[in-house]
Amino acid sequence: MIHRSIQNALQVAVAAELPDADTSRVLVRPCDPKFGDYQSNALMALAKQRRMNPRELAGAVVARLDVSEWCSKVEIAGPGFLNFHLEPEAVSGVLKEAASSDQLFFEPAIPSRTIVIDFSSPNVAKPMHVGHIRSTILGDSLARILRLLGHRVVTDNHIGDWGTQFGMLLLGWKTILDEEALEADPIAEMERIYKAINSDESLRDAARAELLKLQSGDSENLSLWQQMIDLSQQQFDMVYGRLGVGFDYTLGESFYNDELAGVVEDLRKNKIAVESEGAMIVEFPDDSPLKGQPAIVRKSDGAANYTTTDLATLQHRQREWLPDEILYVTDGRQQLHFQQLFAIHRRWRPEVSASLEHVWFGSILGPDRKPFKTRSGEVVKLAALLDEAEERAFTVVTEKNPDLDGAARREIARIVGLGALKYADLSNNRQSDYIFDWDRMLALQGNTAPYLQYAYTRIRSIFRKAGMDEVSAGEISLSTPEEFALAKHLLNFGLALEQVAAEYRPNYLCTYLYELAGHYARFYEACPVLQSGDAQTSRLTLCDLAARVLKEGLGVLGIEVTDKM
Ligand code: ARG
């Protein structure tokens, strides 16, 4: 990567000039083309710490800097920025190499880390709703991106298959279950019996009794419980299949039941948990945001809870996979839970160095800026949402391509509809709420999946017209500003991936791809490709590289492409 070479050269020059400087903070970033291709602002901070004149320091560093292999010039600008201007020859050299390699403008991360990703994690006997969509889509895309960069990723679906809801479900199953309804739509029927029992105060005790029987290993209740899990899992798998999402492990909460008592006992022995009004709690007197907000690890009725289970889960993951990092992809409303969990874990297992990250996200809102609901005010179910995405995309595709046969239009609509839905989610900063808007996400213009998928099909159609599938590598000449700009943007694919990996934000990759499509459109507008004589092979190679980056970039967002649209 040219970017990395420039950054390394700058770090060497800084180290020579300031032997005590921490050069790992000397970074080079892509910048506004007004100023150059890459920029570094590191010298200003270094000069400030040392009470030096930043422009003088910049001059001294530049005198030691040799980037002539990649840059036509390096400028010192303003109060001490360094602006790097790439040399077309160097850029075309990298493109030529990429054209004949599988690795597109990125390098595997060194060192490779082991990263456990806990995502999706729906609850048994409840429909997966739009709240789970962000976790599923975001977690899957992070897994794909981190894997592409060469990390070892372990995905684990921590489904909610244990807890007080099973008391009501069991009671409902035994007293009011409608077999036919269960057959037709198992989740809806389980949801119905749950709600019916839950809303009737007089059934509380009976439901508790069923729960206790389950917890003490009653074989009838255990087998009904298992049936509920299996039915739910089938529904989850249907949604995952449609979304193209897979997991290495599905270890639900119940998997840890036998460990819970030991965890609480260990916390007590180590004086991390103390008794309070019959419950066991952990307090955080020295932790300012958590002070005054104790975590319960055993309720006064003796039952363990979400936190206890998560501690046991952490212990298991640590033993089993020795992770460098564990990511938890959930709604932002669970922030307190994860802060407490991580704080307890630091005290309980201070020797464990894995970094624990709560990768949280905001809400999906309706047009009224309130949490997204159906027209009748219910929670939107994920399966219905996927159907609607495909249906609406079918209308769009049919308008564009009335002559294509029905099955082909259905398949394109599936790719476009699901792509649009995923991209609408991923292209937003995960921590902000966003308004769910079908028309916007399906638009063929703007920062949408259909726009990028369409850009891809336009490139493929050039190859169809040329009567070839790919282009044999040759020299690449970047003689027009549009060709050069497109080529330089291609180089930054790896940087976009790394940025996602550093902050767990796929929206950086979306922005990159959107800009790529823009560069491509300007190139296409300005530079004829077919019948361009000597330039044809070079331009076809640029087209091909742009298509490959689009496809791979969308691919790691979990989005497919199609040759026609
Ligand atoms: N089942 C939980 C929910 O639907 C999410 C679990 C997230 N993962 C975890 N290890 N706590 O809210």
Side-chain angles (χ1 to χ4, degrees), residues 43 69 88 93 114 164 167 242-243 294 357 375 384 403 434 442 453 462 486 521 529 539 552:
L43 299 183
E69 196 183 334
T114 295
T164 48
R242 289 178 72 180
L243 289 174
E357 292 282 342
R375 232 167 281 151
D403 303 332
Y434 75 92
L442 284 162
Q453 289 168 320
I462 295 176
L486 171 61
V529 176
R539 288 181 180 167
E552 180 144 75

Side-chain angles (χ1 to χ4, degrees), residues 118-123 129 132 135 156 158-161 253 306 309-310 313 317 328-331 334 337-338 341:
D118 173 322
F119 73 101
S120 193
S121 309
N123 299 317
H129 56 74
H132 291 112
S135 178
D156 185 7
H158 189 72
I159 57 172
D161 61 358
E253 295 180 10
Y306 194 47
T309 310
D310 257 328
T313 308
R317 289 173 177 164
Y328 297 84
V329 187
T330 85
D331 193 298
Q334 297 197 29
H337 165 73
F338 285 105
L341 177 70

